[in-house]
């Protein structure tokens, strides 16, 4: 992920970044009002998805990403302490924009059929804000994210752009069997979801898996450890890519592969065996590309036409 350099985007904040708080923070007897300047001293980890922030008085606290904005972006957006702006990352803005969510679904382990007792429920979707918000200088956030509730909603244009690039997370949103809410417009999008499938799936999925497996191999050699859950999802992604090229559909549920995939996740298979499985799946992926009936590129014209219709509906 990049630095926080675009208005409204919730991007990663590196250690050392000067930030401004977007809500009042009370930590024990110490209170820091909204607009207090601090510096990032600790980045989020998988077990603790919050930032460590040190203020000018020497006090430190932990805050979620949605409660922070980089000082540089804060200055660029023209905010002042105590103000609220629809162009900022403030939680109040995100809460306001959530009313424009047009599609909400469940993805991740529960959609894959790989859930276990401690599995989270990951919700993803799309929001479509009014045109008046797009016309503001700061625009709107490309995505609304709430780490505490495991939710993320992409602005429609961003969602479509990612779908056209065969982003796996986005394609799974379109094909998950666990849809919780869909507006009439979202139903139209689901009906045309096949227009996003093309041979780009091969490049996107294959390239990502190869680069990530290389990193896992380096971890094994240098550290003697491996992220088993990550390895499981890379194998699952390869299986999914093969099925897309063969069948022209995204197989989100992989329950038939559950025993194998969970054995990888639990570290029951040796790394060498997993790597051999990956090589075998890569060969099958290559073969599927040769015989696929999917087009070279997705249907950009249809996606554009849908976006224009959606935009006009919000004027």
């Amino acid at each position: 992920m990049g630095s926080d350099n675009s208005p409204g985007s919730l991007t990663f904040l590196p250690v050392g970044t000067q930030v401004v708080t977007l809500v009042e923070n009370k930590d024990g007897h110490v209170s820091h009002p909204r607009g207090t300047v601090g510096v990032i001293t600790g980045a989020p980890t998988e077990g603790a998805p919050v930032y460590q922030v040190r203020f000018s008085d020497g006090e430190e606290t932990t805050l979620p990403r949605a409660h922070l904005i980089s000082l540089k972006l804060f200055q660029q957006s023209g905010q002042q302490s105590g103000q609220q702006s629809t162009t900022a990352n403030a939680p109040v803005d995100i809460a306001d924009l959530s009313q424009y969510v047009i599609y909400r679904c469940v993805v991740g382990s529960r959609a894959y059929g790989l859930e276990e007792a401690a599995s989270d429920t990951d919700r993803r979707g799309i929001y479509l804000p009014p045109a008046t918000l797009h016309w503001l200088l700061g625009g709107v956030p490309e995505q609304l994210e709430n780490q505490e509730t495991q939710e993320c909603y992409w602005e429609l244009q961003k969602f479509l752009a990612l779908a056209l690039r065969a982003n796996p997370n986005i394609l799974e949103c379109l094909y998950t069997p666990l849809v919780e809410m869909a507006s009439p417009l979202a139903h139209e999008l689901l009906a045309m979801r096949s227009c996003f499938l093309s041979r780009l799936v091969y490049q996107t999925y294959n390239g990502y898996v190869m680069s990530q497996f290389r990193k896992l191999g380096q971890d094994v050699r240098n550290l003697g450890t491996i992220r088993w859950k990550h390895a499981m999802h890379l194998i699952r992604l390869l299986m999914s890519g093969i099925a897309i090229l063969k069948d022209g559909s995204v197989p989100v549920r992989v329950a038939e592969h559950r025993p194998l995939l969970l054995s990888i996740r639990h570290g029951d298979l040796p790394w060498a065996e997993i790597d051999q499985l990956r090589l075998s799946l890569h060969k099958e992926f290559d073969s599927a590309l040769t015989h696929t009936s999917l087009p070279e590129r997705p249907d950009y014209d249809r996606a554009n036409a849908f976006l224009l219709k959606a935009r006009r509906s919000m004027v």
Side-chain angles (χ1 to χ4, degrees):
M1 289 184 291
S3 59
D4 185 8
N5 57 11
S6 60
S9 61
L10 289 177
T11 48
F12 181 73
L13 297 171
V15 171
T17 302
Q18 287 186 293
V19 294
V20 177
T21 59
L22 293 168
V23 296
E24 182 181 9
N25 172 61
K26 294 183 178 180
D27 189 2
H29 64 283
V30 180
S31 177
H32 296 100
R34 182 177 186 270
T36 302
V37 175
V39 62
I40 300 292
T41 58
T45 63
E46 185 174 350
V50 292
Y51 287 85
Q52 187 79 17
V53 181
R54 180 187 298 125
F55 297 106
S56 58
D57 58 8
E59 295 290 336
E60 291 199 13
T61 190
T62 55
L63 293 169
R65 176 64 182 86
H67 290 188
L68 299 168
I69 183 174
S70 71
L71 177 60
K72 179 180 179 181
L73 182 58
F74 180 87
Q75 293 169 334
Q76 289 175 344
S77 65
Q79 284 185 298
Q80 296 177 0
S81 180
Q83 289 183 335
Q84 295 180 349
S85 168
T86 55
T87 65
N89 280 343
V92 63
D93 298 326
I94 291 178
D96 288 345
L97 289 172
S98 66
Q99 66 183 297
Y100 302 115
V101 170
I102 63 171
Y103 180 64
R104 183 175 65 247
C105 64
V106 175
V107 296
S109 60
R110 297 194 182 280
Y112 303 144
L114 298 174
E115 72 275 11
E116 297 183 293
S119 295
D120 295 324
T121 299
D122 301 313
R123 291 182 170 86
R124 301 291 182 266
I126 306 168
Y127 85 102
L128 177 62
T132 50
L133 294 184
H134 274 288
W135 296 337
L136 293 174
L137 287 174
V140 295
E142 290 187 336
Q143 65 187 55
L144 312 178
E145 193 169 7
N146 188 327
Q147 293 181 344
E148 295 179 1
T149 60
Q150 300 295 312
E151 292 180 82
C152 180
Y153 301 97
W154 289 275
E155 198 281 319
L156 179 60
Q157 182 174 341
K158 180 67 173 182
F159 185 93
L160 295 177
L162 291 171
L164 289 166
R165 294 201 293 268
N167 179 285
N169 294 326
I170 300 299
L171 294 183
E172 287 169 5
C173 283
L174 290 171
Y175 281 84
T176 177
L178 304 181
V179 175
E180 294 187 335
M181 184 272 286
S183 71
L185 198 62
H187 277 294
E188 287 188 40
L189 179 61
L190 293 177
M192 56 178 276
R193 62 191 179 182
S194 62
C195 82
F196 298 103
L197 300 184
S198 72
R199 298 187 183 196
L200 286 179
V201 166
Y202 175 83
Q203 284 80 15
T204 302
Y205 283 49
N206 211 12
Y208 178 75
V209 171
M210 289 179 66
S211 66
Q212 291 301 307
F213 249 92
R214 190 178 303 113
K215 292 178 182 178
L216 289 179
Q218 291 173 349
D219 288 344
V220 173
R221 292 188 296 272
N222 299 332
L223 305 175
T225 61
I226 186 171
R227 292 169 289 162
W228 295 111
K229 181 178 179 181
H230 193 47
M232 176 195 73
H233 282 301
L234 291 175
I235 294 296
R236 179 194 58 77
L237 198 62
L238 268 178
M239 292 175 171
S240 177
I242 292 168
I244 294 171
L245 293 185
K246 286 183 175 181
D247 305 326
S249 181
V250 181
V252 176
R253 289 196 70 81
V254 290
E256 69 273 21
H257 301 298
R258 178 182 171 94
L260 171 62
L261 292 171
L262 289 185
S263 68
I264 296 174
R265 178 174 183 169
H266 297 153
D268 296 334
L269 296 180
W271 168 249
E273 186 174 335
I274 297 172
D275 199 29
Q276 283 301 312
L277 174 60
R278 187 265 303 180
L279 292 172
S280 175
L281 289 171
H282 270 303
K283 291 180 180 179
E284 188 175 352
F285 207 5
D286 292 343
S287 176
L289 176 65
T290 301
H291 298 95
T292 186
S293 60
L294 289 181
E296 288 288 339
R297 292 290 185 269
D299 193 337
Y300 295 102
D301 290 340
R302 192 172 181 186
N304 265 323
F306 177 81
L307 179 60
L308 285 173
K309 177 180 179 179
R311 286 277 187 262
R312 287 169 178 148
S313 74
M314 300 302 288
V315 173

